Amino acid sequence: MNHSKDLFLGVRPHLSLLYGYLTEEERKEAQEKVGVARINNGSFGCSPASVTSALQQWQLKWLRQPDRFYFNESHKGILKSRNTVKDLINAEDVDEISTVDNATTAVAIVLHQMQWAFSEGRFKKGDAVITLQCTYGAVKNSIKAYFERAGRYVIEVPFQFPVNSSEEIINEFLMALVKEKGSGRRVRLALIDHVTSMPSVVPPVKKLVEVCREEGVDQVFIDGAHGVGCVDVDMQEIGADFYTSNLHKWFFCPASVAFLYCRKSVAHSELHHPMVSHDYGKGLAIESCWIGTRDYSPSLVVPSAVEFTNRFEGGIDGIKRRNHDAVVEMGKMLAKAWGTNLGSPPDMCTSMIMVGMPACLGVSSDDDA
């Protein structure tokens, strides 16, 4: 494998990627526009030609014989994708996995269940959800829509950047929980990022789940929108009730496809897809397979994405490791050149890293930026 191919595909990431040093053949696989080097992978990902080819084959099956596709192929194909995700994240049962279009939809599914619990009187006004202050904006809006509009209480846990250790986040989180418990408030849900994006850091989710269990939080939802393909994701190790991750960010799937994991002990019958269709009441996993006429092909190519990652040394784990090592190297280089520092220790970053801006830019707040 030549050096330039290594640059794109994560086998040996290097700064030269920023200058677009890819051969014509590699650009066809990467599907990049000539003269443009995309570096915002965290937003929309980058689906290679081999995976989008599989996508197009599924689309043609649907367009040519939609009845055959619907009755004979789509559910079987999505079940195969769900089994692939089950193995990828070490879930116990395929019934714990539902495919959805993105992590925001998964958050809406769980919060909608919580809203019904309030409206039916199972939860009381003043019961709370706890989350991190730097939680993703769309998720904050979902909390506002499903919790705050009903007069419920939202606890936001602050922590300062740069972050020096995982213990800083754990201590702030624990203090917030203890404070609210002391006032008699019951925390119904903890919604915690696996990887925050703006600013970017990896909170110690396994330890935070343990803290939630010890402090009596009813349920824990890990928002791993950047998770699969970026950090290790193991349901048995993390121990959360819910977990979601996009697969079109760091796992090479086309937009948009994600999954929602619901631990077996959770009352699945209370969870429903917000788009109600013919399979309502058959369980979330089945409801999510068909929510009306639309393009389901992104949910069907997950096995193709696994085949793609397995072409490289160490598969997706090797890609994650090399991306992390490369981004730390680049971050340290920039921090040294600018006379600043990293926003977190290397073990608290993934394929994204925070670097302090040089003082000459005069950027000291969001308003300055």
Side-chain angles (χ1 to χ4, degrees), residues 258-341:
F259 68 85
L260 173 60
Y261 160 86
C262 307
R263 192 160 55 94
K264 225 175 180 181
S265 60
V266 175
H268 283 210
S269 61
E270 298 177 1
L271 293 168
H272 297 285
H273 198 285
M275 299 294 292
V276 176
S277 192
H278 297 288
D279 289 324
Y280 179 80
K282 296 181 181 180
L284 178 63
I286 301 302
E287 289 181 15
S288 300
C289 286
W290 190 268
I291 53 171
T293 301
R294 59 178 62 202
D295 183 8
Y296 292 90
S297 53
S299 296
L300 295 161
V301 299
V302 180
S304 299
V306 173
E307 290 175 10
F308 175 77
T309 61
N310 286 343
R311 287 164 47 187
F312 308 105
E313 183 185 349
I316 191 61
D317 290 331
I319 293 171
K320 286 185 300 188
R321 183 177 63 254
R322 289 183 289 271
N323 283 346
H324 172 266
D325 292 346
V327 82
V328 169
E329 179 185 352
M330 297 175 194
K332 288 180 176 178
M333 179 197 70
L334 288 174
K336 182 178 179 180
W338 292 344
T340 60
N341 53 271

Coordinates of all heavy atoms in Angstrom, one line a residue, residues 258-341:
A258 N -28.2 5.6 12.2 CA -27.8 5.5 13.6 C -28.5 4.3 14.2 O -29.3 3.7 13.6 CB -28.1 6.8 14.3
F259 N -28.2 4.1 15.5 CA -29.0 3.1 16.2 C -29.3 3.6 17.6 O -28.6 4.5 18.1 CB -28.2 1.7 16.3 CG -26.9 1.8 17.1 CD1 -27.0 1.6 18.5 CD2 -25.7 2.1 16.5 CE1 -25.8 1.7 19.3 CE2 -24.5 2.2 17.3 CZ -24.6 2.0 18.7
L260 N -30.3 3.0 18.2 CA -30.6 3.2 19.6 C -30.6 1.8 20.3 O -31.3 0.9 19.9 CB -32.0 3.8 19.8 CG -32.5 3.9 21.2 CD1 -31.6 4.8 22.0 CD2 -33.9 4.5 21.2
Y261 N -29.7 1.7 21.3 CA -29.6 0.5 22.1 C -30.5 0.8 23.4 O -30.4 1.8 24.0 CB -28.2 0.3 22.5 CG -28.0 -0.6 23.7 CD1 -27.9 -2.0 23.6 CD2 -27.8 -0.1 25.0 CE1 -27.8 -2.8 24.7 CE2 -27.7 -0.9 26.1 CZ -27.6 -2.2 26.0 OH -27.5 -3.0 27.1
C262 N -31.3 -0.2 23.7 CA -32.2 -0.2 24.9 C -31.9 -1.4 25.7 O -32.2 -2.5 25.2 CB -33.6 -0.1 24.6 SG -34.1 1.3 23.4
R263 N -31.3 -1.3 26.8 CA -31.0 -2.5 27.6 C -32.2 -3.4 27.9 O -33.3 -2.9 28.1 CB -30.3 -2.1 28.9 CG -29.7 -3.2 29.7 CD -28.6 -2.6 30.7 NE -29.3 -1.6 31.6 CZ -29.8 -1.9 32.8 NH1 -29.8 -3.1 33.3 NH2 -30.3 -0.9 33.5
K264 N -32.0 -4.7 27.9 CA -33.1 -5.6 27.9 C -34.0 -5.4 29.1 O -35.2 -5.6 29.0 CB -32.5 -7.1 28.0 CG -33.2 -8.0 27.1 CD -32.4 -9.4 27.1 CE -33.1 -10.4 26.2 NZ -32.4 -11.7 26.2
S265 N -33.5 -5.0 30.2 CA -34.3 -4.8 31.4 C -35.2 -3.6 31.4 O -36.1 -3.4 32.2 CB -33.4 -4.7 32.7 OG -32.5 -3.6 32.5
V266 N -34.9 -2.7 30.4 CA -35.8 -1.5 30.2 C -37.1 -1.9 29.6 O -37.2 -2.8 28.8 CB -35.1 -0.5 29.3 CG1 -36.0 0.7 29.0 CG2 -33.8 0.0 29.9
A267 N -38.2 -1.2 30.1 CA -39.5 -1.5 29.6 C -39.7 -1.1 28.1 O -40.1 0.1 27.9 CB -40.6 -0.9 30.5
H268 N -39.4 -2.0 27.2 CA -39.4 -1.6 25.8 C -40.8 -1.2 25.3 O -40.9 -0.4 24.3 CB -38.8 -2.8 24.9 CG -37.4 -2.9 25.0 ND1 -36.6 -3.4 24.0 CD2 -36.5 -2.6 26.0 CE1 -35.3 -3.4 24.3 NE2 -35.2 -3.0 25.5
S269 N -41.8 -1.8 25.9 CA -43.2 -1.5 25.4 C -43.5 0.0 25.6 O -44.5 0.4 24.9 CB -44.2 -2.3 26.2 OG -44.1 -2.0 27.6
E270 N -42.8 0.7 26.4 CA -43.1 2.1 26.6 C -42.4 3.0 25.6 O -42.6 4.2 25.5 CB -42.7 2.6 28.0 CG -43.5 1.9 29.1 CD -43.0 2.2 30.5 OE1 -42.1 3.1 30.6 OE2 -43.5 1.7 31.5
L271 N -41.5 2.4 24.8 CA -40.7 3.2 23.8 C -41.4 3.0 22.4 O -41.7 1.9 22.0 CB -39.3 2.7 23.7 CG -38.4 2.9 25.0 CD1 -37.1 2.1 24.8 CD2 -38.1 4.4 25.1
H272 N -41.6 4.2 21.7 CA -42.2 4.2 20.4 C -41.4 5.2 19.5 O -40.9 6.2 20.0 CB -43.6 4.5 20.5 CG -44.5 3.5 21.2 ND1 -44.8 2.3 20.8 CD2 -45.0 3.6 22.5 CE1 -45.5 1.7 21.7 NE2 -45.6 2.4 22.7
H273 N -41.4 4.8 18.2 CA -40.9 5.8 17.3 C -41.8 7.0 17.1 O -43.0 6.8 17.1 CB -40.7 5.1 15.9 CG -39.7 5.9 15.0 ND1 -40.1 7.0 14.4 CD2 -38.4 5.6 14.7 CE1 -39.1 7.5 13.7 NE2 -38.0 6.6 13.8
P274 N -41.3 8.2 17.1 CA -42.2 9.4 17.0 C -43.0 9.4 15.7 O -44.0 10.1 15.7 CB -41.2 10.6 17.1 CG -39.9 10.0 16.8 CD -39.9 8.6 17.2
M275 N -42.5 8.8 14.6 CA -43.2 8.7 13.4 C -44.1 7.4 13.4 O -43.5 6.3 13.2 CB -42.3 8.7 12.2 CG -41.5 9.9 12.1 SD -42.4 11.4 11.7 CE -43.0 11.0 10.0
V276 N -45.3 7.5 13.8 CA -46.2 6.3 14.0 C -46.7 5.8 12.6 O -47.2 6.5 11.8 CB -47.4 6.6 14.9 CG1 -48.3 5.4 15.0 CG2 -46.9 7.1 16.3
S277 N -46.5 4.5 12.4 CA -46.9 3.9 11.2 C -47.6 2.5 11.4 O -48.1 2.3 12.6 CB -45.8 3.7 10.2 OG -46.2 3.4 8.9
H278 N -47.6 1.6 10.4 CA -48.4 0.4 10.5 C -47.9 -0.6 11.6 O -48.7 -1.4 12.1 CB -48.4 -0.3 9.2 CG -49.0 0.5 8.1 ND1 -50.4 0.6 8.0 CD2 -48.5 1.2 7.0 CE1 -50.7 1.4 6.9 NE2 -49.6 1.7 6.3
D279 N -46.6 -0.5 12.0 CA -46.1 -1.5 12.9 C -46.1 -1.0 14.4 O -45.5 -1.5 15.3 CB -44.7 -1.8 12.6 CG -44.6 -2.7 11.3 OD1 -45.5 -3.5 11.1 OD2 -43.7 -2.5 10.5
Y280 N -46.9 0.1 14.6 CA -47.0 0.6 16.0 C -47.4 -0.5 17.0 O -48.4 -1.3 16.7 CB -48.0 1.8 16.0 CG -48.2 2.4 17.4 CD1 -47.2 3.2 18.0 CD2 -49.2 2.0 18.2 CE1 -47.4 3.8 19.2 CE2 -49.4 2.5 19.5 CZ -48.5 3.4 20.0 OH -48.6 3.9 21.3
G281 N -46.7 -0.6 18.1 CA -47.1 -1.5 19.1 C -46.4 -2.9 19.0 O -46.6 -3.7 19.9
K282 N -45.6 -3.0 18.0 CA -44.9 -4.3 17.8 C -43.4 -4.3 18.3 O -42.6 -5.2 18.1 CB -44.8 -4.6 16.3 CG -46.2 -4.9 15.7 CD -46.0 -5.3 14.2 CE -47.4 -5.5 13.6 NZ -47.3 -5.8 12.1
G283 N -43.1 -3.2 19.1 CA -41.8 -3.0 19.6 C -41.0 -2.0 18.8 O -41.2 -1.9 17.6
L284 N -40.2 -1.3 19.5 CA -39.4 -0.2 18.8 C -38.6 -0.6 17.7 O -38.6 0.0 16.6 CB -38.6 0.6 19.9 CG -37.7 1.7 19.3 CD1 -38.6 2.8 18.8 CD2 -36.8 2.2 20.4
A285 N -37.9 -1.8 17.8 CA -37.1 -2.3 16.7 C -37.9 -2.5 15.4 O -37.4 -2.2 14.3 CB -36.4 -3.5 17.1
I286 N -39.1 -3.1 15.6 CA -39.9 -3.3 14.4 C -40.6 -2.0 13.9 O -40.6 -1.7 12.7 CB -41.0 -4.4 14.7 CG1 -40.4 -5.7 15.1 CG2 -41.9 -4.6 13.5 CD1 -39.4 -6.3 14.1
E287 N -41.0 -1.2 14.8 CA -41.6 0.1 14.4 C -40.6 0.9 13.6 O -41.0 1.6 12.6 CB -42.0 0.9 15.7 CG -43.2 0.4 16.4 CD -43.5 1.3 17.6 OE1 -43.0 2.4 17.7 OE2 -44.3 0.8 18.5
S288 N -39.3 0.9 14.0 CA -38.3 1.7 13.3 C -37.9 1.2 11.9 O -37.3 1.9 11.2 CB -37.1 1.8 14.2 OG -37.4 2.3 15.5
C289 N -38.3 -0.1 11.6 CA -37.9 -0.6 10.3 C -38.7 0.0 9.2 O -38.3 0.0 8.0 CB -38.2 -2.1 10.3 SG -37.0 -3.1 11.2
W290 N -40.0 0.5 9.5 CA -40.8 1.1 8.5 C -41.6 2.2 9.1 O -42.6 2.0 9.8 CB -41.7 0.1 7.8 CG -42.4 0.6 6.6 CD1 -43.6 1.2 6.5 CD2 -41.9 0.7 5.3 NE1 -43.9 1.6 5.3 CE2 -42.8 1.3 4.4 CE3 -40.7 0.2 4.7 CZ2 -42.7 1.5 3.1 CZ3 -40.5 0.4 3.3 CH2 -41.5 1.0 2.5
I291 N -41.3 3.4 8.8 CA -42.0 4.6 9.3 C -42.6 5.4 8.2 O -42.7 6.6 8.2 CB -41.1 5.5 10.2 CG1 -39.8 5.8 9.5 CG2 -40.8 4.7 11.5 CD1 -39.0 6.9 10.2
G292 N -43.0 4.7 7.1 CA -43.5 5.4 5.9 C -42.6 5.2 4.7 O -41.5 4.8 4.9
T293 N -43.1 5.7 3.6 CA -42.3 5.5 2.4 C -41.1 6.5 2.4 O -41.3 7.7 2.4 CB -43.1 5.8 1.1 OG1 -44.2 4.9 1.1 CG2 -42.3 5.7 -0.2
R294 N -39.9 6.0 2.4 CA -38.7 6.7 2.4 C -37.5 5.8 2.0 O -37.7 4.6 1.8 CB -38.4 7.4 3.7 CG -38.3 6.4 4.9 CD -38.0 7.1 6.2 NE -39.1 8.0 6.6 CZ -38.9 9.1 7.4 NH1 -37.8 9.3 7.9 NH2 -40.0 9.8 7.7
D295 N -36.3 6.4 1.9 CA -35.1 5.7 1.5 C -34.5 5.0 2.7 O -34.0 5.7 3.6 CB -34.1 6.6 0.8 CG -32.9 5.8 0.3 OD1 -32.9 4.6 0.4 OD2 -31.9 6.5 -0.1
Y296 N -34.6 3.7 2.8 CA -34.0 2.9 3.9 C -32.7 2.4 3.7 O -32.1 1.7 4.5 CB -35.0 1.8 4.4 CG -36.3 2.3 4.9 CD1 -37.4 2.6 4.1 CD2 -36.4 2.6 6.3 CE1 -38.6 3.0 4.6 CE2 -37.6 3.1 6.8 CZ -38.7 3.3 6.0 OH -39.8 3.8 6.5
S297 N -32.1 2.7 2.5 CA -30.9 2.0 2.1 C -29.7 2.4 3.0 O -28.8 1.5 3.2 CB -30.5 2.4 0.6 OG -30.5 3.8 0.4
P298 N -29.6 3.6 3.6 CA -28.5 3.8 4.6 C -28.5 2.8 5.7 O -27.4 2.4 6.2 CB -28.7 5.2 5.1 CG -29.4 5.9 3.9 CD -30.3 4.8 3.4
S299 N -29.7 2.3 6.1 CA -29.8 1.4 7.2 C -29.4 0.0 6.8 O -29.2 -0.9 7.7 CB -31.2 1.3 7.8 OG -31.5 2.6 8.4
L300 N -29.3 -0.3 5.5 CA -29.0 -1.6 5.0 C -27.6 -1.9 4.6 O -27.2 -3.0 4.4 CB -29.9 -1.8 3.7 CG -31.4 -1.8 4.0 CD1 -32.2 -1.6 2.7 CD2 -31.8 -3.2 4.6
V301 N -26.7 -0.8 4.7 CA -25.4 -1.0 4.2 C -24.4 -1.1 5.4 O -23.2 -1.0 5.2 CB -24.9 0.2 3.3 CG1 -25.8 0.2 2.0 CG2 -25.0 1.5 4.0
V302 N -24.9 -1.2 6.6 CA -24.0 -1.3 7.8 C -23.0 -2.5 7.6 O -21.8 -2.4 7.8 CB -24.7 -1.4 9.1 CG1 -23.8 -1.6 10.3 CG2 -25.7 -0.2 9.3
P303 N -23.4 -3.7 7.1 CA -22.5 -4.8 6.9 C -21.4 -4.4 5.9 O -20.2 -4.8 6.0 CB -23.3 -5.9 6.4 CG -24.7 -5.7 7.0 CD -24.8 -4.2 6.9
S304 N -21.8 -3.6 4.9 CA -20.8 -3.2 3.9 C -19.7 -2.3 4.5 O -18.6 -2.3 4.1 CB -21.5 -2.5 2.7 OG -22.4 -3.3 2.1
A305 N -20.1 -1.4 5.4 CA -19.2 -0.6 6.1 C -18.2 -1.4 7.0 O -17.0 -1.1 7.0 CB -19.9 0.4 7.0
V306 N -18.7 -2.5 7.6 CA -17.8 -3.4 8.3 C -16.8 -4.0 7.4 O -15.6 -4.1 7.7 CB -18.6 -4.4 9.1 CG1 -17.7 -5.5 9.7 CG2 -19.5 -3.8 10.2
E307 N -17.3 -4.5 6.2 CA -16.4 -5.1 5.3 C -15.3 -4.1 4.8 O -14.1 -4.4 4.7 CB -17.1 -5.5 4.0 CG -18.1 -6.7 4.3 CD -18.9 -7.0 3.1 OE1 -18.7 -6.5 2.0 OE2 -19.8 -7.9 3.2
F308 N -15.7 -2.8 4.7 CA -14.7 -1.8 4.3 C -13.6 -1.6 5.4 O -12.4 -1.6 5.1 CB -15.4 -0.4 4.0 CG -14.5 0.7 3.8 CD1 -13.9 0.8 2.5 CD2 -14.2 1.6 4.8 CE1 -13.0 1.9 2.3 CE2 -13.4 2.7 4.5 CZ -12.8 2.8 3.3
T309 N -14.1 -1.5 6.6 CA -13.1 -1.2 7.7 C -12.2 -2.4 7.9 O -11.0 -2.3 8.3 CB -13.8 -0.9 9.0 OG1 -14.6 -2.0 9.5 CG2 -14.6 0.4 8.9
N310 N -12.7 -3.6 7.6 CA -11.9 -4.8 7.8 C -10.8 -5.0 6.8 O -9.9 -5.9 6.9 CB -12.8 -6.1 7.8 CG -13.5 -6.2 9.1 OD1 -13.2 -5.6 10.1 ND2 -14.6 -7.0 9.1
R311 N -10.8 -4.1 5.8 CA -9.7 -4.1 4.8 C -8.4 -3.6 5.3 O -7.4 -3.8 4.7 CB -10.1 -3.3 3.5 CG -11.2 -3.9 2.7 CD -11.8 -2.9 1.7 NE -10.9 -2.1 1.0 CZ -11.2 -1.1 0.2 NH1 -12.5 -0.8 0.0 NH2 -10.3 -0.4 -0.4
F312 N -8.5 -2.9 6.5 CA -7.3 -2.2 7.0 C -6.8 -2.9 8.3 O -7.6 -3.5 9.0 CB -7.6 -0.8 7.2 CG -8.2 -0.1 6.0 CD1 -9.5 0.1 5.9 CD2 -7.4 0.1 4.9 CE1 -10.1 0.7 4.8 CE2 -7.9 0.6 3.7 CZ -9.3 0.9 3.7
E313 N -5.6 -2.7 8.5 CA -4.9 -3.4 9.7 C -5.6 -3.1 11.0 O -5.8 -1.9 11.4 CB -3.5 -2.9 9.8 CG -2.7 -3.6 10.9 CD -1.3 -3.0 11.0 OE1 -0.9 -2.2 10.1 OE2 -0.6 -3.3 12.0
G314 N -6.1 -4.1 11.7 CA -6.8 -3.9 12.9 C -8.2 -3.6 12.8 O -8.9 -3.3 13.8
G315 N -8.8 -3.5 11.5 CA -10.2 -3.1 11.4 C -10.5 -1.7 11.9 O -9.6 -0.8 12.0
I316 N -11.7 -1.5 12.5 CA -12.1 -0.2 13.0 C -11.3 0.1 14.2 O -11.0 1.3 14.5 CB -13.6 -0.2 13.3 CG1 -14.1 1.3 13.6 CG2 -14.0 -1.1 14.4 CD1 -13.8 2.2 12.4
D317 N -10.9 -0.9 15.0 CA -10.0 -0.5 16.2 C -8.7 0.0 15.8 O -8.2 1.0 16.4 CB -9.9 -1.8 17.0 CG -11.1 -2.2 17.7 OD1 -12.0 -1.4 18.0 OD2 -11.3 -3.4 18.0
G318 N -8.1 -0.5 14.7 CA -6.8 0.0 14.3 C -7.0 1.4 13.7 O -6.1 2.3 13.9
I319 N -8.1 1.7 13.0 CA -8.3 3.0 12.4 C -8.5 4.0 13.6 O -7.9 5.1 13.5 CB -9.6 3.0 11.5 CG1 -9.3 2.2 10.3 CG2 -10.0 4.4 11.1 CD1 -10.5 1.9 9.4
K320 N -9.3 3.6 14.6 CA -9.4 4.5 15.8 C -8.1 4.9 16.4 O -7.8 6.0 16.7 CB -10.4 3.9 16.8 CG -11.8 3.8 16.5 CD -12.7 3.3 17.6 CE -12.3 1.9 18.0 NZ -13.2 1.3 19.0
R321 N -7.3 3.8 16.6 CA -6.0 4.0 17.3 C -5.1 5.0 16.5 O -4.5 5.9 17.0 CB -5.4 2.7 17.5 CG -4.0 2.8 18.3 CD -3.5 1.4 18.6 NE -3.1 0.7 17.3 CZ -3.8 -0.3 16.8 NH1 -4.9 -0.7 17.4 NH2 -3.4 -0.9 15.7
R322 N -5.0 4.7 15.2 CA -4.1 5.5 14.4 C -4.6 7.0 14.3 O -3.9 7.9 14.3 CB -4.0 4.9 13.0 CG -3.1 3.6 13.1 CD -2.9 3.0 11.7 NE -4.1 2.5 11.1 CZ -4.5 1.2 11.3 NH1 -3.8 0.4 12.0 NH2 -5.6 0.7 10.7
N323 N -6.0 7.1 14.1 CA -6.5 8.5 14.1 C -6.2 9.2 15.4 O -5.9 10.4 15.4 CB -8.0 8.4 13.8 CG -8.4 8.1 12.4 OD1 -7.5 8.2 11.5 ND2 -9.6 7.8 12.2
H324 N -6.4 8.6 16.5 CA -6.1 9.2 17.8 C -4.7 9.6 17.9 O -4.3 10.8 18.3 CB -6.5 8.3 18.9 CG -6.1 8.7 20.3 ND1 -4.8 8.4 20.9 CD2 -6.7 9.6 21.2 CE1 -4.7 9.0 22.0 NE2 -5.8 9.7 22.3
D325 N -3.8 8.7 17.6 CA -2.3 9.0 17.7 C -1.9 10.2 16.8 O -1.2 11.1 17.2 CB -1.5 7.8 17.3 CG -1.6 6.7 18.3 OD1 -2.2 6.9 19.4 OD2 -1.2 5.5 18.0
A326 N -2.5 10.2 15.6 CA -2.2 11.3 14.6 C -2.7 12.6 15.1 O -2.1 13.7 15.0 CB -2.8 10.9 13.2
V327 N -4.0 12.6 15.6 CA -4.6 13.9 16.0 C -3.9 14.5 17.3 O -3.7 15.7 17.4 CB -6.1 13.8 16.3 CG1 -6.4 13.2 17.6 CG2 -6.8 15.1 16.1
V328 N -3.4 13.6 18.1 CA -2.6 14.1 19.3 C -1.3 14.7 18.8 O -0.9 15.8 19.3 CB -2.3 12.9 20.3 CG1 -1.3 13.3 21.3 CG2 -3.6 12.5 21.0
E329 N -0.6 14.0 17.9 CA 0.6 14.6 17.3 C 0.4 15.9 16.7 O 1.2 16.9 16.9 CB 1.2 13.6 16.3 CG 2.5 14.0 15.6 CD 2.9 13.1 14.5 OE1 2.3 12.0 14.4 OE2 3.9 13.5 13.8
M330 N -0.7 16.1 15.9 CA -1.0 17.3 15.3 C -1.3 18.4 16.3 O -0.9 19.6 16.2 CB -2.1 17.2 14.3 CG -1.8 16.2 13.1 SD -3.3 16.0 12.1 CE -2.7 14.5 11.1
G331 N -2.1 18.0 17.3 CA -2.5 19.0 18.3 C -1.3 19.5 19.1 O -1.2 20.7 19.4
K332 N -0.4 18.6 19.5 CA 0.8 19.1 20.2 C 1.7 20.0 19.3 O 2.2 21.0 19.8 CB 1.6 17.8 20.6 CG 0.9 17.1 21.8 CD 1.8 15.9 22.2 CE 1.2 15.2 23.4 NZ 2.0 14.0 23.8
M333 N 1.7 19.7 18.0 CA 2.5 20.5 17.1 C 1.9 21.9 17.1 O 2.7 22.9 17.1 CB 2.5 19.9 15.7 CG 3.2 20.7 14.7 SD 2.8 20.2 13.0 CE 1.1 20.9 12.9
L334 N 0.6 22.0 16.9 CA 0.0 23.3 16.9 C 0.1 24.1 18.2 O 0.4 25.3 18.2 CB -1.5 23.2 16.5 CG -1.9 22.8 15.1 CD1 -3.4 22.6 14.9 CD2 -1.4 23.9 14.1
A335 N -0.1 23.4 19.3 CA 0.0 24.0 20.6 C 1.5 24.6 20.8 O 1.6 25.7 21.4 CB -0.3 23.0 21.7
K336 N 2.4 23.8 20.4 CA 3.8 24.3 20.5 C 4.1 25.5 19.6 O 4.7 26.5 20.1 CB 4.8 23.2 20.2 CG 6.3 23.5 20.3 CD 7.1 22.3 19.9 CE 8.6 22.7 20.1 NZ 9.5 21.6 19.7
A337 N 3.6 25.5 18.4 CA 3.8 26.6 17.5 C 3.1 27.8 17.9 O 3.6 28.9 17.7 CB 3.3 26.2 16.1
W338 N 1.9 27.7 18.6 CA 1.1 28.8 19.0 C 1.4 29.3 20.4 O 0.9 30.3 20.8 CB -0.3 28.5 18.8 CG -0.8 28.3 17.4 CD1 -0.2 28.7 16.3 CD2 -2.0 27.7 17.0 NE1 -0.9 28.4 15.2 CE2 -2.1 27.8 15.6 CE3 -3.1 27.1 17.7 CZ2 -3.1 27.3 14.8 CZ3 -4.2 26.6 16.9 CH2 -4.2 26.7 15.5
G339 N 2.2 28.5 21.1 CA 2.5 28.8 22.5 C 1.3 28.7 23.4 O 1.1 29.4 24.4
T340 N 0.4 27.7 23.1 CA -0.8 27.5 23.9 C -0.7 26.0 24.5 O 0.3 25.5 24.8 CB -2.0 27.7 23.0 OG1 -2.0 26.7 21.9 CG2 -2.1 29.1 22.5
N341 N -1.9 25.4 24.6 CA -1.9 24.1 25.2 C -3.1 23.3 24.7 O -4.0 23.9 24.1 CB -2.0 24.2 26.7 CG -3.2 25.1 27.2 OD1 -3.0 26.3 27.3 ND2 -4.4 24.5 27.3

